Amino acid sequence: MEFEPVIGLEIHTQLATQSKIFCSCSTRFGAPPNTNVCPVCMGLPGVLPVLNQKVVEFAIKLGLATHCEIRLDSQFARKNYFYPDLPKAYQISQFDRPICENGWLDILVEGQTKRIGITRIHMEEDAGKLLHEDGEWSYVDLNRAGVPLLEIVSEPDIRTPQEAKAYMEKMHALVTSLGVSEGDMEKGHMRCDANVSIRPVGQEKFGTRAEIKNINSFRFVQQAIIYEIERQRDDILDGHTIVQETRLWDADKKKTYSMRSKEEAHDYRYFPDPDLPVVHFTREWVEQIRSELPELPEAKLQRFIQAYGLSAYDAEVLVNDRAVADYFEAVANLGADPKLVCNWITSELMRVMNERKVAITDTGITPDLLAELVRLLQEKTISGKIAKTVFEEMLKSGKQPSKIIAEQGLSQISDESAVLNMVREIVEANPDQVQQYREGKTKVFGFFVGQIMRASKGKANPEVVNQLLKQMLDL
Ligand code: ADP
Ligand code: MG
Ligand code: ZN
């Protein structure tokens, strides 16, 4: 039997506000435990929450960017449950009147655009953090309690693990380019719950879903869903029925495992929070925010394709990280060939970013340096191979490429008479191979090129070598 997966994601993104959602405590990451706290976010009795206006503005921004309807009278609700990291025993969230509804986001997968519906986006507060540092004790850190989040709930429109990854990446690109979130995955600024079910191909009714909680990377969302689809398929083929449950992803074992079943699921007893008034704002404010939106990734993608002649794939890779897109434009605007610049970013620079886990602005290679390197390559002062050497040296020393080339004598040798001497030497030193070549074994041509390049330490201009070598061998 053939099965089709059905997937819906709930993404939580932490907002880039200075202060928390209902008090003026700092949201700064990495402060000593329980130093960014006050009676409001510690849940002490007798205090009242006051809504941070910036959170509403960020929610509207994201709502507009995802084509949502914006509710002018949205409401906060209490989601009741007990946990040691939640001192009030309820989370302030939104329930039946969320601020944004009925939007969509387009994703690009294998060259195809696909539209994923967005059911709702709502504002809520984060909980604290539990630290299980030794065997005996657990500690509660409330610095994160009250940090603002947006929860973005998708329609069950996603059909493959790859689409889920693309959707999460696209959402990340969107919130970071809007400035709504810093999007630092290492700090947990974007987490998602993946709802996964499968159904026989052709069946309209959805299967029973499992919800995989708290996935914190693009790679893990894809891996967890791949695993989960397999698990459900095996279970069904073994004659079991899928139970609705919450599962967790174990990144080391690459497996999901059950956390609680539906029977144990919480009944959150949502009700409107009596401490917070309905969130009223005007249509004019919404329109003002719309008029101030920056260029969105979608528009940037089209512009990169048209203005710089990039492929949709290349443009997408650049646009997915706002800092990378800005960097690319800075280098291209310094007169370097856009396609070459894109190649250097997506291969060399992104490798360095991954290895060192740094942003493109922190690799030490400034736009000026890369632009100069690419120009030297374009002007054929250096070959592609030498350019890589120069790049590595730039990473180490931060020196200008022209300086490195001068210091190490790396300029490409294009002067015909100089190259001709090298070619002649190698040809004369290898009479057997010359014989073979002239008898029709033209494959040995590559042998000669290799020898000449080696003799010149990679500096001979390959085009000139090819041309002169061919002339000499074809005599
Ligand atoms: P809950 O509040 O229990 O998490 P929701 O109805 O809000 O439930 O749905 C949460 C997510 O689950 C949404 O993203 C939705 O698209 C997705 N979803 C709902 N039903 C299914 C299903 N049968 N298979 C996969 N995903 C589903
Ligand atoms: Mg859910
Ligand atoms: Zn506080």
Side-chain angles (χ1 to χ4, degrees):
M1 205 186 332
E2 285 271 350
F3 292 99
E4 175 187 52
V6 171
I7 302 156
L9 297 189
E10 296 163 89
I11 293 180
H12 290 89
T13 187
Q14 180 175 324
L15 300 185
T17 56
Q18 298 286 311
S19 57
K20 294 185 179 180
I21 181 170
F22 300 120
C23 61
S24 56
C25 291
S26 167
T27 55
R28 195 167 71 80
F29 184 86
N34 299 306
T35 54
N36 294 336
V37 292
C38 73
V40 173
C41 54
M42 284 193 294
L44 301 188
V47 293
L48 287 174
V50 177
L51 178 59
N52 182 341
Q53 180 173 332
K54 202 76 189 164
V55 173
V56 184
E57 185 186 321
F58 282 166
I60 296 172
K61 271 193 179 169
L62 184 59
L64 291 173
T66 52
H67 317 274
C68 284
E69 296 153 20
I70 311 293
R71 189 189 298 270
L72 300 181
D73 58 349
S74 86
Q75 189 165 48
F76 284 99
R78 290 187 182 180
K79 180 177 180 179
N80 299 281
Y81 66 96
F82 171 77
Y83 208 64
D85 64 8
L86 190 73
K88 300 192 297 297
Y90 61 85
Q91 178 194 26
I92 306 178
S93 181
Q94 297 193 293
F95 185 52
D96 54 351
R97 286 160 70 182
I99 186 160
C100 311
E101 272 174 303
N102 303 324
W104 45 265
L105 185 69
D106 284 342
I107 57 171
L108 187 71
V109 174
E110 286 172 355
Q112 300 281 330
T113 299
K114 172 154 180 182
R115 181 156 296 180
I116 308 298
I118 290 173
T119 317
R120 54 187 276 144
I121 301 175
H122 68 249
M123 306 175 277
E124 62 183 28
E125 58 177 348
D126 207 344
K129 219 181 228 167
L130 291 184
L131 305 161
H132 312 284
E133 294 207 327
D134 50 54
E136 212 175 344
W137 296 90
S138 290
Y139 301 86
V140 184
D141 176 6
L142 294 178
N143 283 349
R144 205 180 63 185
V147 164
L149 304 176
L150 289 180
E151 175 168 342
I152 309 146
V153 181
S154 88
E155 288 290 299
D157 290 344
I158 299 166
R159 290 291 171 272
T160 67
Q162 202 190 353
E163 285 178 13
K165 176 167 178 273
Y167 171 80
M168 193 172 168
E169 285 173 341
K170 195 69 183 271
M171 194 59 79
H172 183 264
L174 193 57
V175 296
T176 51
S177 56
L178 288 168
V180 156
S181 173
E182 288 170 29
D184 188 336
M185 304 299 285
E186 304 281 316
K187 294 182 186 157
H189 288 177
M190 188 174 264
R191 285 117 56 185
C192 102
D193 305 338
N195 295 270
V196 181
S197 65
I198 61 174
R199 62 181 172 188
V201 169
Q203 174 183 307
E204 204 171 320
K205 194 169 164 289
F206 289 154
T208 304
R209 71 183 146 120
E211 178 176 11
I212 312 161
K213 280 271 184 208
N214 254 324
I215 307 171
N216 60 8
S217 91
F218 306 128
R219 196 156 47 90
F220 291 165
V221 80
Q222 186 173 17
Q223 290 176 346
I225 295 171
I226 290 173
Y227 175 86
E228 189 56 24
I229 291 168
E230 280 302 311
R231 183 191 70 85
Q232 293 186 15
R233 192 197 323 252
D234 289 350
D235 263 17
I236 291 175
L237 293 177
D238 284 349
H240 303 300
T241 43
I242 302 295
V243 291
Q244 188 172 334
E245 62 179 351
T246 304
R247 300 178 70 87
L248 288 175
W249 170 243
D250 183 329
D252 293 326
K253 297 201 182 107
K254 292 201 171 27
K255 283 179 171 181
T256 65
Y257 61 93
S258 183
M259 182 168 94
R260 58 170 185 257
S261 72
K262 197 187 177 190
E263 286 68 44
E264 306 159 66
H266 296 123
D267 174 359
Y268 294 119
R269 296 172 293 126
Y270 281 98
F271 63 87
D273 192 317
D275 287 346
L276 285 156
V278 169
V279 188
H280 282 294
F281 48 83
T282 60
R283 172 68 45 205
E284 285 71 46
W285 191 42
V286 176
E287 290 314 312
Q288 189 197 327
I289 292 172
R290 191 197 303 276
S291 70
E292 290 163 5
L293 288 179
E295 183 183 34
L296 299 181
E298 208 56 44
K300 189 169 289 191
L301 181 87
Q302 292 311 320
R303 187 165 62 78
F304 277 18
I305 294 171
Q306 257 129 49
Y308 298 111
L310 300 180
S311 69
Y313 176 81
D314 281 344
E316 171 101 0
V317 173
L318 297 178
V319 163
N320 268 349
D321 181 333
R322 182 180 176 176
V324 169
D326 289 348
Y327 183 96
F328 164 79
E329 288 212 275
V331 183
N333 291 340
L334 287 168
D337 177 67
K339 181 72 198 158
L340 276 176
V341 174
C342 174
N343 288 347
W344 277 85
I345 291 176
T346 54
S347 54
E348 300 304 315
L349 271 175
M350 287 192 163
R351 173 179 58 78
V352 175
M353 288 161 67
N354 279 332
E355 280 169 7
R356 302 188 183 174
K357 300 221 178 309
V358 293
I360 197 159
T361 42
D362 296 326
T363 61
I365 309 280
T366 61
D368 283 332
L369 290 179
L370 186 63
E372 189 185 327
L373 183 70
V374 170
R375 276 202 310 269
L376 290 166
L377 194 55
Q378 274 167 256
E379 293 159 2
K380 299 200 179 1
T381 306
I382 49 173
S383 66
K385 191 146 179 263
I386 296 284
K388 292 231 164 100
T389 311
V390 174
F391 182 83
E392 291 305 319
E393 188 55 42
M394 266 159 61
L395 275 178
K396 272 192 229 133
S397 64
K399 283 185 188 162
Q400 266 182 288
S402 52
K403 196 150 183 227
I404 296 169
I405 292 164
E407 279 175 5
Q408 304 194 5
L410 295 173
S411 268
Q412 183 155 258
I413 305 166
S414 302
D415 173 55
E416 289 215 5
S417 62
V419 176
L420 189 63
N421 278 336
M422 297 178 196
V423 172
R424 184 175 294 129
E425 247 172 57
I426 299 293
V427 167
E428 282 171 359
N430 296 283
D432 292 351
Q433 280 80 358
V434 174
Q435 173 105 9
Q436 287 171 12
Y437 179 85
R438 293 192 174 143
E439 283 167 0
K441 269 190 79 181
T442 49
K443 269 205 299 199
V444 291
F445 192 83
F447 160 81
F448 285 109
V449 174
Q451 294 289 313
I452 296 161
M453 294 310 287
R454 191 167 314 150
S456 76
K457 300 203 173 63
K459 290 189 289 184
N461 180 330
E463 280 168 44
V464 180
V465 169
N466 273 295
Q467 184 202 336
L468 295 178
L469 180 65
K470 195 148 178 24
Q471 279 173 12
M472 195 168 295
L473 290 175
D474 286 346
L475 269 180

